[in-house]
Amino acid sequence: DVQLVESGGGLVQPGGSLRLSCVASGFTVSSYYMNWVRQAPGKGLEWVSVIYSGGSLDYADSVKGRFTISRDNSKNTLYLQMNGLRPEDTAVYFCARGKRESEYWGQGTLVTVSS
Amino acid sequence: EIVMTQSPATLSVSPGERATLSCRASQSISSNLAWYQQKSGQAPRLLIYGASTRATGIPARFSGSGSGTEFTLTISSLQSEDFAVYYCQQYNNWPRTFGQGTKVEIK
């Protein structure tokens, strides 16, 4: 069965850093497009970043230059390195598989940016 | 960036009734549209992709239609487990964008 499990969220001060992880099972991360999608409290879904199966990267303008997506094929794990965090980055962060629609999602990890 | 606009923001429906949700794209996205259901505290669940194809395990009471810029999700007879928030998402262009959601609540 396909499973995605995020971790690494927590409380961080503005300007701080955090690295999120998404461990995949039941498939090979490097064979798929993998995304990060976030949801601020009480708000809608916002696509954040993608890593293509071929390794290319893309980001939403709101995080470009601050966030970095990557993967470790040996650990079958997706990452999101978040630097220069701002209060508006507070959200549940989901990893999701898919180039087009996303059938598989993790349960999410909460990131809170506050002093 | 393609802007996705959903209407209405909230839809009050009685169990057993039909619900019709709309999604409009700011430019043509062909049939590159998905619908998701999200319940409180849960991840989104894929319902429909390709504008009209049900995802694995999705009941037949869920149907999608449309192409270009206008799309519709119809729930033919609402069950108690269908009260949730529904999002449309385009995957015609990067960045992928979502609508702001339609909350389907019990009338």
Side-chain angles (χ1 to χ4, degrees):
Chain A
D1 282 2
V2 171
Q3 192 171 11
L4 296 166
V5 179
E6 301 97 334
S7 62
L11 175 63
V12 60
Q13 292 188 340
S17 298
L18 215 52
R19 188 178 80 157
L20 306 184
S21 300
C22 170
V23 178
S25 57
F27 72 101
T28 301
V29 162
S30 61
S31 297
Y32 291 85
Y33 282 50
M34 295 296 298
N35 302 270
W36 287 99
V37 176
R38 68 185 180 182
Q39 186 169 37
K43 303 297 184 183
L45 299 166
E46 179 189 17
W47 174 82
V48 171
S49 183
V50 64
I51 181 166
Y52 295 10
S53 52
S56 296
L57 315 176
D58 201 3
Y59 301 92
D61 286 346
S62 58
V63 306
K64 202 168 289 185
R66 300 186 298 124
F67 289 12
T68 303
I69 190 172
S70 64
R71 68 191 181 206
D72 184 331
N73 296 342
S74 67
K75 296 181 178 179
N76 211 33
T77 299
L78 176 73
Y79 298 102
L80 186 68
Q81 177 66 44
M82 304 185 295
N83 299 330
L85 282 161
R86 305 168 179 168
E88 55 265 35
D89 296 318
T90 294
V92 174
Y93 285 74
F94 297 99
C95 59
R97 189 184 91 172
K99 177 181 180 180
R100 298 162 63 83
E101 72 279 358
S102 289
E103 184 176 9
Y104 297 103
W105 296 67
Q107 84 289 350
T109 187
L110 175 62
V111 173
T112 303
V113 185
S114 175
S115 54
Chain B
E1 170 175 318
I2 297 175
V3 177
M4 306 300 292
T5 303
Q6 291 185 240
S7 61
T10 304
L11 188 61
S12 298
V13 185
S14 299
E17 288 188 341
R18 181 185 196 92
T20 302
L21 290 66
S22 296
C23 176
R24 173 178 293 177
S26 60
Q27 65 187 74
S28 178
I29 58 170
S30 186
S31 296
N32 296 313
L33 183 103
W35 289 96
Y36 299 88
Q37 176 193 70
Q38 188 180 34
K39 298 180 180 178
S40 182
Q42 296 185 13
R45 174 195 183 195
L46 177 67
L47 298 176
I48 300 284
Y49 62 94
S52 61
T53 302
R54 278 189 302 277
T56 304
I58 301 303
R61 64 181 181 273
F62 291 92
S63 63
S65 64
S67 66
T69 62
E70 300 285 342
F71 301 88
T72 300
L73 175 69
T74 302
I75 311 171
S76 60
S77 177
L78 271 157
Q79 307 298 302
S80 57
E81 61 267 30
D82 300 335
F83 292 96
V85 180
Y86 293 82
Y87 295 95
C88 61
Q89 179 214 5
Q90 66 81 20
Y91 49 83
N92 194 70
N93 289 8
W94 297 97
R96 305 307 194 216
T97 47
F98 294 87
Q100 79 279 18
T102 291
K103 181 180 181 180
V104 177
E105 63 177 24
I106 300 174
K107 186 174 182 180

